[in-house]
Amino acid sequence: MAATVNIRRDVRDSFYRYKMPVLLTKIEGKGNGIKTVFPNMADVARALNRPASYPTKYFGCELGAQATFNDTTERYIVNGAHDQNRMRELLDGFIDRFVLCQSCKNPETELIVSRDGYITSDCKACGYHGDIDMRHKLTTFISKNPPKKAGKKGKRGAAGADSIAGQPGQVDGVEDEDDDDDELTRKIREGAEKVMTEEEAARLIAEREKEDDWADEDTSPEAVAKRMAALGVSADSSLLAGGLDDDDDEASTGPYGEFAAWVTEQKEQAGGDLSAAELYKEADARGVTKKPHRLLPVLFPALFDDKVTAELPKYLPVLAKLNTSEKTAKALGGGIEKLVEAYPDTLKSVPKVLMILYQADVLDEDAIRHFATHVSKKYVSKDLSKKVRKAADPILQWLDEASSDEDDDEDESE
């Protein structure tokens, strides 16, 4: 078992009560496949009361290296060979930024992610409640992967490295405060939980069926009217004009289209020198950030042209802030399609665009795989959508190779 050290290594007091295991490292592989593995990262994370993926991702951000993690097998890796002392220093940086209270410097804090993606730290020791500095790249990852909510009080089982949310899970052997509930109460509670589970499953199935069945469906007013006539239903012109759902309105019109036109005009007047801060400030003032899934498809082709790979890094913070869900990730994919439609030469840049978005944590692997394998005519013609997917093949191959290398390393370590 690894020795323990003070969570604040600058504190020399041997009786300091906040301890953690000494971070261990192990170099695996060779050549381009060499990696640094952290055998006890899960134990360190439990001591810090943070998901183990957070410090691992922090290392990747600080070192400019790819970080991979598997919470099921508790395997945490950063590409490249890195010195053990250097990694411990980086862990100190993570603790200072994302664990210690800014007021009392104790590690009894909980990270809270708001709906708009901002992160606050809530200290259980002194009661301080303050914002986390959002300038670090890790904040984007935390916003998209917030700490899981703590289970019900009294629930048995030790907390895993990624089941932490401010308070550690209860350890085996602790008395369950609900043990004195009568049998009827327990049955009612179990039944309620079952109903909730079924509702969630039904909702998920409905969403997937809607996606699968309507992705290639023609939703133009004429097509809708034709289908309604076939069903013997009168087509209300007001419904057809406004759409059955406000979110299905054509994003190129209204405030979203107006904002896209403003972006184009500003870039032309300023010679392309429109800052990310100015862009987001104007979007927020116009209220178009409230529905980013409608903004992204028109913003991307307005913001970029055939020099997209050179311009993209400048606006990554804005795209990361707007991409907050699976729905917005698909909308961002639609924006890439619209860019190719407007600038056909950018088709060959699709893999690099996706790679830039992936490395900046704007799009995760699941989102990229979905985009690269699901043809849709929601934003462009079906033929163009197929071409874009075909152009994305190289990044799929890269993701597959990276996954294969990871599997090989795990087999070697076993």
Side-chain angles (χ1 to χ4, degrees), residues 268-280:
E268 290 175 352
Q269 291 179 354
D273 191 24
L274 175 65
S275 73
E278 291 173 332
L279 174 70
Y280 190 82

Side-chain angles (χ1 to χ4, degrees), residues 38 41-46 48-61 66-72 74-78 91 94 98 111 138-139 141-148 160-164 361:
F38 306 97
M41 177 61 83
D43 295 326
V44 173
R46 290 188 186 97
L48 299 177
N49 202 23
R50 293 290 183 269
S53 56
Y54 289 8
T56 308
K57 193 69 177 177
Y58 179 86
F59 293 163
C61 293
Q66 184 180 4
T68 57
F69 37 84
N70 187 322
D71 297 316
T72 303
E74 294 191 347
R75 186 168 170 82
Y76 303 93
I77 299 169
V78 172
L91 181 61
F94 170 79
F98 298 100
L111 294 184
L138 181 64
T139 57
F141 179 79
I142 295 176
S143 296
K144 294 182 180 180
N145 303 273
K148 294 181 180 179
D162 246 355
S163 64
I164 299 167
D361 289 323

Side-chain angles (χ1 to χ4, degrees), residues 42 132 161 286 299 376:
I132 294 292
R286 291 173 178 249
L299 175 61
S376 170

Side-chain angles (χ1 to χ4, degrees), residues 133-355:
D133 186 351
M134 297 295 292
R135 289 175 295 180
H136 196 278
K137 285 184 178 181
L138 181 64
T139 57
T140 301
F141 179 79
I142 295 176
S143 296
K144 294 182 180 180
N145 303 273
K148 294 181 180 179
K149 300 295 183 182
K152 289 185 177 179
K153 188 175 181 181
K155 186 175 181 181
R156 296 176 184 265
D162 246 355
S163 64
I164 299 167
Q167 294 296 335
Q170 203 158 356
V171 180
D172 288 337
V174 176
E175 188 68 25
D176 191 334
E177 295 179 1
D178 293 334
D179 282 348
D180 58 350
D181 287 348
D182 57 55
E183 184 178 357
L184 178 59
T185 302
R186 285 197 296 272
K187 286 185 177 180
I188 291 173
R189 184 181 293 113
E190 291 170 0
E193 290 175 354
K194 183 177 180 182
V195 170
M196 287 299 293
T197 301
E198 290 174 351
E199 288 176 352
E200 292 172 357
R203 188 160 54 246
L204 180 61
I205 291 171
E207 289 175 357
R208 289 182 175 177
E209 286 180 346
K210 181 179 179 181
E211 178 184 337
D212 292 340
D213 294 344
W214 291 90
D216 295 328
E217 200 70 45
D218 188 352
T219 56
S220 64
E222 295 78 8
V224 172
K226 186 176 180 180
R227 285 195 292 272
M228 292 176 72
L231 293 171
V233 180
S234 62
D236 187 325
S237 59
S238 63
L239 285 177
L240 292 177
L244 299 177
D245 184 347
D246 182 59
D247 284 352
D248 291 333
D249 288 347
E250 186 64 34
S252 60
T253 60
Y256 303 95
E258 292 172 2
F259 177 69
W262 176 86
V263 171
T264 302
E265 181 181 349
Q266 291 298 311
K267 292 207 71 178
E268 290 175 352
Q269 291 179 354
D273 191 24
L274 175 65
S275 73
E278 291 173 332
L279 174 70
Y280 190 82
K281 183 178 180 181
E282 181 67 20
D284 196 44
R286 291 173 178 249
V288 293
T289 57
K290 295 178 180 178
K291 292 186 177 181
H293 64 282
R294 299 186 63 192
L295 172 61
L296 286 167
V298 295
L299 175 61
F300 207 87
L303 198 54
F304 303 112
D305 51 26
D306 51 8
K307 300 182 181 65
V308 58
T309 54
E311 299 171 343
L312 185 55
K314 178 179 178 180
Y315 298 103
L316 288 173
V318 175
L319 297 177
K321 195 167 182 62
L322 293 174
N323 182 27
T324 57
S325 66
E326 182 180 340
K327 191 173 187 178
T328 55
K330 292 178 182 178
L332 182 54
I336 295 173
E337 290 179 318
K338 297 289 285 182
L339 176 69
V340 175
E341 182 181 51
Y343 301 93
D345 288 344
T346 59
L347 182 64
K348 62 180 180 295
S349 301
V350 168
K352 190 169 183 180
V353 168
L354 293 173
M355 179 63 77

